[in-house]
Amino acid sequence: MKKLLITGGTVFVSRYTAEYFVQKGYDVYVLNRGSRPQSKGVTLIEADRHNLGAALKNQHFDFVLDITAYTKADIEDLVNGLDSFGGYIMVSSSAVYPEYGTQPFKEDGMLAVNKFWGKYGTDKIEAEQELLRRVPDAYILRPPYLYGPMNDVYREAFVFECALQGRKFYLPKDGKMKLQFFHVVDLCRFMEIIMDKKPENHIFNVGNRESVSIQDWVGLCYKAAGKEAEFVNIYDDVEQRKYFSFSDYEYHLDVTKQYELMGDTIPLEGGLKEAFEWYLANKDEVIVRPYIQYIDENF
């Protein structure tokens, strides 16, 4: 039974990851400040990753799953605080690729500031670089938009809310802009594959092979809620993040290397049904943004 250290463990990806590996029979330790409820079956190491002291000393972890590394300092302080570990996986982001780069983005492509992601993306680049400097055999995963149960970000939840209220959906332009997604359970499955196979490649784009138009994505969200979407197309010169949950930015990751190791992913329609079921039971966990208010006041 592998002993894992998971950073975070209380919100969306880190929480889902912790519960996934508990259910798989792993010995799961979570590192967080203890300010939120902990998942059943985990062992809490209550500490701040920037002030670890001896919290991780005299412990060996087969793998560190670093879900909450966003900056160079996040990597520095955690690696300094670790005593012994066999492997390290960091969840990075597709935000490391500049919007003007050649698409689909490949793992060995240019890394630079992306005007849509700004400092978030450049901080992730610095974190990746520091990790590979300190732990040369570490693994780095670069997902697109993650979704699924426990997602507290107001993306599919916004569309579910519109569907349940019987609202028309205000869609940017012609609705053809495409997005790429990855279910959180597929992220966990892929981390498990890496731990088992220890592949030669150490940087992976991860995601569904197929992209989906925003109109089709909204339609699938409405369908998950048992509704049919009726659209109002917005061609006005309005910043779309004021009324829609994604920026006006279309990109695509080359996930060939991922598919060589994991040949399937959860179909988007089924994944959104799971997300909707979780949303119905956990609406109060979602961080709501004022999209609906903006729509009602301006359209």
Side-chain angles (χ1 to χ4, degrees), residues 7 56 58 67 79 82 101 111 121 149 159 178 249 256 291:
T7 60
L56 302 178
N58 301 315
I67 314 297
V79 174
L82 287 164
L111 306 184
V159 188
K178 289 190 174 182
Y249 172 45
T256 302
Y291 302 140

Side-chain angles (χ1 to χ4, degrees), residues 11-152:
V11 177
F12 188 26
V13 178
S14 64
R15 175 182 164 197
Y16 195 99
T17 300
E19 295 188 8
Y20 175 92
F21 284 106
V22 165
Q23 292 174 2
K24 287 283 187 171
Y26 290 75
D27 186 13
V28 176
Y29 287 68
V30 294
L31 173 66
N32 63 66
R33 293 187 294 269
S35 59
R36 295 173 180 264
Q38 305 297 318
S39 294
K40 183 178 180 181
V42 305
T43 300
L44 171 63
I45 299 175
E46 188 173 341
D48 188 317
R49 70 185 293 157
H50 298 295
N51 188 25
L52 286 167
L56 302 178
K57 298 302 181 184
N58 301 315
Q59 294 215 54
H60 173 79
F61 300 99
D62 294 295
F63 260 88
V64 176
L65 306 184
D66 197 350
I67 314 297
T68 61
Y70 296 98
T71 67
K72 178 181 178 181
D74 289 343
I75 296 295
E76 288 175 330
D77 292 342
L78 182 59
V79 174
N80 286 341
L82 287 164
D83 196 349
S84 174
F85 59 95
Y88 198 118
I89 300 174
M90 171 193 168
V91 177
S92 184
S93 171
S94 57
V96 299
Y97 299 113
E99 79 284 352
Y100 54 82
T102 301
Q103 296 196 35
F105 295 127
K106 296 180 181 290
E107 290 90 345
D108 59 357
M110 177 193 307
L111 306 184
V113 63
N114 181 303
K115 71 177 184 181
F116 294 97
W117 292 104
K119 190 173 185 296
Y120 171 78
T122 53
D123 281 349
K124 282 285 193 180
I125 293 171
E126 292 180 358
E128 287 188 10
Q129 292 171 342
E130 181 65 13
L131 177 59
L132 294 177
R133 186 181 74 83
R134 299 287 298 275
V135 187
D137 62 349
Y139 291 93
I140 292 171
L141 309 183
R142 296 172 179 162
Y145 295 109
L146 292 164
Y147 79 105
M150 303 186 190
N151 187 3
D152 62 336

